[in-house]
PDB file of all heavy atoms in Angstrom:
ATOM      1  N   ASN A 371     -99.356 -19.003  50.065  1.00  0.00           N
ATOM      2  CA  ASN A 371     -99.093 -19.879  48.912  1.00  0.00           C
ATOM      3  C   ASN A 371    -100.404 -20.298  48.246  1.00  0.00           C
ATOM      4  O   ASN A 371    -100.651 -21.478  48.003  1.00  0.00           O
ATOM      5  CB  ASN A 371     -98.282 -21.099  49.339  1.00  0.00           C
ATOM      6  CG  ASN A 371     -97.729 -21.876  48.162  1.00  0.00           C
ATOM      7  OD1 ASN A 371     -97.510 -21.314  47.088  1.00  0.00           O
ATOM      8  ND2 ASN A 371     -97.534 -23.166  48.338  1.00  0.00           N
ATOM      9  N   ILE A 372    -101.251 -19.300  47.970  1.00  0.00           N
ATOM     10  CA  ILE A 372    -102.521 -19.558  47.286  1.00  0.00           C
ATOM     11  C   ILE A 372    -102.336 -19.265  45.803  1.00  0.00           C
ATOM     12  O   ILE A 372    -101.947 -18.154  45.437  1.00  0.00           O
ATOM     13  CB  ILE A 372    -103.648 -18.680  47.869  1.00  0.00           C
ATOM     14  CG1 ILE A 372    -103.820 -18.980  49.364  1.00  0.00           C
ATOM     15  CG2 ILE A 372    -104.947 -18.925  47.133  1.00  0.00           C
ATOM     16  CD1 ILE A 372    -104.814 -18.084  50.064  1.00  0.00           C
ATOM     17  N   ARG A 373    -102.601 -20.262  44.972  1.00  0.00           N
ATOM     18  CA  ARG A 373    -102.309 -20.125  43.548  1.00  0.00           C
ATOM     19  C   ARG A 373    -103.565 -20.251  42.695  1.00  0.00           C
ATOM     20  O   ARG A 373    -104.584 -20.793  43.136  1.00  0.00           O
ATOM     21  CB  ARG A 373    -101.282 -21.175  43.122  1.00  0.00           C
ATOM     22  CG  ARG A 373    -100.010 -21.118  43.964  1.00  0.00           C
ATOM     23  CD  ARG A 373     -98.895 -21.947  43.404  1.00  0.00           C
ATOM     24  NE  ARG A 373     -97.666 -21.804  44.190  1.00  0.00           N
ATOM     25  CZ  ARG A 373     -96.471 -22.191  43.796  1.00  0.00           C
ATOM     26  NH1 ARG A 373     -96.333 -22.778  42.601  1.00  0.00           N
ATOM     27  NH2 ARG A 373     -95.411 -22.022  44.554  1.00  0.00           N
ATOM     28  N   GLU A 374    -103.456 -19.750  41.510  1.00  0.00           N
ATOM     29  CA  GLU A 374    -104.549 -19.851  40.538  1.00  0.00           C
ATOM     30  C   GLU A 374    -104.951 -21.311  40.366  1.00  0.00           C
ATOM     31  O   GLU A 374    -104.101 -22.215  40.403  1.00  0.00           O
ATOM     32  CB  GLU A 374    -104.082 -19.262  39.199  1.00  0.00           C
ATOM     33  CG  GLU A 374    -105.183 -18.719  38.339  1.00  0.00           C
ATOM     34  CD  GLU A 374    -104.659 -17.927  37.154  1.00  0.00           C
ATOM     35  OE1 GLU A 374    -103.460 -18.016  36.876  1.00  0.00           O
ATOM     36  OE2 GLU A 374    -105.453 -17.213  36.517  1.00  0.00           O
ATOM     37  N   GLU A 375    -106.274 -21.549  40.218  1.00  0.00           N
ATOM     38  CA  GLU A 375    -106.854 -22.875  40.043  1.00  0.00           C
ATOM     39  C   GLU A 375    -106.950 -23.663  41.354  1.00  0.00           C
ATOM     40  O   GLU A 375    -107.466 -24.765  41.377  1.00  0.00           O
ATOM     41  CB  GLU A 375    -106.094 -23.713  39.017  1.00  0.00           C
ATOM     42  CG  GLU A 375    -106.136 -23.145  37.586  1.00  0.00           C
ATOM     43  CD  GLU A 375    -107.543 -23.099  37.030  1.00  0.00           C
ATOM     44  OE1 GLU A 375    -108.298 -24.060  37.251  1.00  0.00           O
ATOM     45  OE2 GLU A 375    -107.895 -22.089  36.394  1.00  0.00           O
ATOM     46  N   ASN A 376    -106.442 -23.118  42.500  1.00  0.00           N
ATOM     47  CA  ASN A 376    -106.627 -23.773  43.795  1.00  0.00           C
ATOM     48  C   ASN A 376    -108.056 -23.562  44.283  1.00  0.00           C
ATOM     49  O   ASN A 376    -108.779 -22.681  43.809  1.00  0.00           O
ATOM     50  CB  ASN A 376    -105.652 -23.208  44.825  1.00  0.00           C
ATOM     51  CG  ASN A 376    -104.221 -23.646  44.599  1.00  0.00           C
ATOM     52  OD1 ASN A 376    -103.311 -23.134  45.211  1.00  0.00           O
ATOM     53  ND2 ASN A 376    -103.994 -24.616  43.711  1.00  0.00           N
ATOM     54  N   ASP A 377    -108.471 -24.378  45.274  1.00  0.00           N
ATOM     55  CA  ASP A 377    -109.716 -24.170  46.004  1.00  0.00           C
ATOM     56  C   ASP A 377    -109.373 -23.664  47.402  1.00  0.00           C
ATOM     57  O   ASP A 377    -108.321 -24.029  47.966  1.00  0.00           O
ATOM     58  CB  ASP A 377    -110.499 -25.475  46.125  1.00  0.00           C
ATOM     59  CG  ASP A 377    -110.923 -26.017  44.766  1.00  0.00           C
ATOM     60  OD1 ASP A 377    -110.958 -25.228  43.802  1.00  0.00           O
ATOM     61  OD2 ASP A 377    -111.204 -27.222  44.680  1.00  0.00           O
ATOM     62  N   LEU A 378    -110.272 -22.830  47.973  1.00  0.00           N
ATOM     63  CA  LEU A 378    -110.055 -22.402  49.361  1.00  0.00           C
ATOM     64  C   LEU A 378    -111.392 -22.084  49.992  1.00  0.00           C
ATOM     65  O   LEU A 378    -112.411 -21.920  49.306  1.00  0.00           O
ATOM     66  CB  LEU A 378    -109.100 -21.219  49.449  1.00  0.00           C
ATOM     67  CG  LEU A 378    -109.529 -19.832  48.958  1.00  0.00           C
ATOM     68  CD1 LEU A 378    -110.434 -19.102  49.957  1.00  0.00           C
ATOM     69  CD2 LEU A 378    -108.313 -18.953  48.727  1.00  0.00           C
ATOM     70  N   PHE A 379    -111.367 -22.002  51.327  1.00  0.00           N
ATOM     71  CA  PHE A 379    -112.564 -21.571  52.031  1.00  0.00           C
ATOM     72  C   PHE A 379    -112.165 -20.626  53.153  1.00  0.00           C
ATOM     73  O   PHE A 379    -111.048 -20.669  53.670  1.00  0.00           O
ATOM     74  CB  PHE A 379    -113.366 -22.764  52.564  1.00  0.00           C
ATOM     75  CG  PHE A 379    -112.672 -23.537  53.649  1.00  0.00           C
ATOM     76  CD1 PHE A 379    -112.913 -23.269  54.983  1.00  0.00           C
ATOM     77  CD2 PHE A 379    -111.771 -24.540  53.327  1.00  0.00           C
ATOM     78  CE1 PHE A 379    -112.268 -23.978  55.981  1.00  0.00           C
ATOM     79  CE2 PHE A 379    -111.125 -25.262  54.314  1.00  0.00           C
ATOM     80  CZ  PHE A 379    -111.365 -24.977  55.649  1.00  0.00           C
ATOM     81  N   MET A 380    -113.103 -19.746  53.512  1.00  0.00           N
ATOM     82  CA  MET A 380    -112.914 -18.785  54.592  1.00  0.00           C
ATOM     83  C   MET A 380    -113.985 -19.026  55.646  1.00  0.00           C
ATOM     84  O   MET A 380    -115.134 -19.350  55.321  1.00  0.00           O
ATOM     85  CB  MET A 380    -113.042 -17.345  54.080  1.00  0.00           C
ATOM     86  CG  MET A 380    -112.144 -17.000  52.915  1.00  0.00           C
ATOM     87  SD  MET A 380    -112.453 -15.310  52.372  1.00  0.00           S
ATOM     88  CE  MET A 380    -111.679 -15.357  50.750  1.00  0.00           C
ATOM     89  N   ASP A 381    -113.568 -18.857  56.906  1.00  0.00           N
ATOM     90  CA  ASP A 381    -114.496 -18.973  58.031  1.00  0.00           C
ATOM     91  C   ASP A 381    -114.704 -17.608  58.645  1.00  0.00           C
ATOM     92  O   ASP A 381    -113.737 -16.876  58.913  1.00  0.00           O
ATOM     93  CB  ASP A 381    -113.954 -19.930  59.078  1.00  0.00           C
ATOM     94  CG  ASP A 381    -114.098 -21.386  58.641  1.00  0.00           C
ATOM     95  OD1 ASP A 381    -115.044 -21.678  57.904  1.00  0.00           O
ATOM     96  OD2 ASP A 381    -113.236 -22.196  59.029  1.00  0.00           O
ATOM     97  N   CYS A 382    -115.952 -17.265  58.878  1.00  0.00           N
ATOM     98  CA  CYS A 382    -116.309 -16.026  59.561  1.00  0.00           C
ATOM     99  C   CYS A 382    -116.735 -16.383  60.974  1.00  0.00           C
ATOM    100  O   CYS A 382    -117.865 -16.868  61.195  1.00  0.00           O
ATOM    101  CB  CYS A 382    -117.431 -15.306  58.807  1.00  0.00           C
ATOM    102  SG  CYS A 382    -117.882 -13.703  59.510  1.00  0.00           S
ATOM    103  N   ALA A 383    -115.823 -16.216  61.923  1.00  0.00           N
ATOM    104  CA  ALA A 383    -116.128 -16.533  63.322  1.00  0.00           C
ATOM    105  C   ALA A 383    -116.995 -15.423  63.913  1.00  0.00           C
ATOM    106  O   ALA A 383    -116.642 -14.247  63.843  1.00  0.00           O
ATOM    107  CB  ALA A 383    -114.841 -16.684  64.113  1.00  0.00           C
ATOM    108  N   ILE A 384    -118.117 -15.803  64.512  1.00  0.00           N
ATOM    109  CA  ILE A 384    -119.114 -14.828  64.983  1.00  0.00           C
ATOM    110  C   ILE A 384    -119.345 -15.005  66.476  1.00  0.00           C
ATOM    111  O   ILE A 384    -119.572 -16.112  66.954  1.00  0.00           O
ATOM    112  CB  ILE A 384    -120.442 -14.984  64.209  1.00  0.00           C
ATOM    113  CG1 ILE A 384    -120.200 -14.810  62.706  1.00  0.00           C
ATOM    114  CG2 ILE A 384    -121.477 -13.987  64.722  1.00  0.00           C
ATOM    115  CD1 ILE A 384    -121.440 -15.072  61.861  1.00  0.00           C
ATOM    116  N   ASN A 385    -119.284 -13.898  67.185  1.00  0.00           N
ATOM    117  CA  ASN A 385    -119.660 -13.869  68.600  1.00  0.00           C
ATOM    118  C   ASN A 385    -120.759 -12.845  68.748  1.00  0.00           C
ATOM    119  O   ASN A 385    -120.525 -11.641  68.583  1.00  0.00           O
ATOM    120  CB  ASN A 385    -118.442 -13.503  69.447  1.00  0.00           C
ATOM    121  CG  ASN A 385    -118.776 -13.446  70.925  1.00  0.00           C
ATOM    122  OD1 ASN A 385    -119.777 -14.001  71.372  1.00  0.00           O
ATOM    123  ND2 ASN A 385    -117.925 -12.761  71.679  1.00  0.00           N
ATOM    124  N   SER A 386    -121.974 -13.312  69.030  1.00  0.00           N
ATOM    125  CA  SER A 386    -123.112 -12.404  69.021  1.00  0.00           C
ATOM    126  C   SER A 386    -124.152 -12.844  70.044  1.00  0.00           C
ATOM    127  O   SER A 386    -124.392 -14.030  70.232  1.00  0.00           O
ATOM    128  CB  SER A 386    -123.736 -12.362  67.624  1.00  0.00           C
ATOM    129  OG  SER A 386    -124.905 -11.600  67.614  1.00  0.00           O
ATOM    130  N   ASN A 387    -124.761 -11.836  70.672  1.00  0.00           N
ATOM    131  CA  ASN A 387    -125.878 -12.106  71.585  1.00  0.00           C
ATOM    132  C   ASN A 387    -126.825 -10.916  71.511  1.00  0.00           C
ATOM    133  O   ASN A 387    -126.474  -9.812  71.943  1.00  0.00           O
ATOM    134  CB  ASN A 387    -125.380 -12.303  73.017  1.00  0.00           C
ATOM    135  CG  ASN A 387    -126.484 -12.770  73.941  1.00  0.00           C
ATOM    136  OD1 ASN A 387    -127.511 -13.279  73.510  1.00  0.00           O
ATOM    137  ND2 ASN A 387    -126.265 -12.568  75.237  1.00  0.00           N
TER     138      ASN A 387
END
Side-chain angles (χ1 to χ4, degrees):
N371 193 26
I372 300 175
R373 305 191 176 194
E374 207 169 14
E375 296 297 319
N376 288 169
D377 297 339
L378 70 78
F379 66 95
M380 306 177 197
D381 284 329
C382 183
I384 302 175
N385 180 19
S386 174
N387 188 19

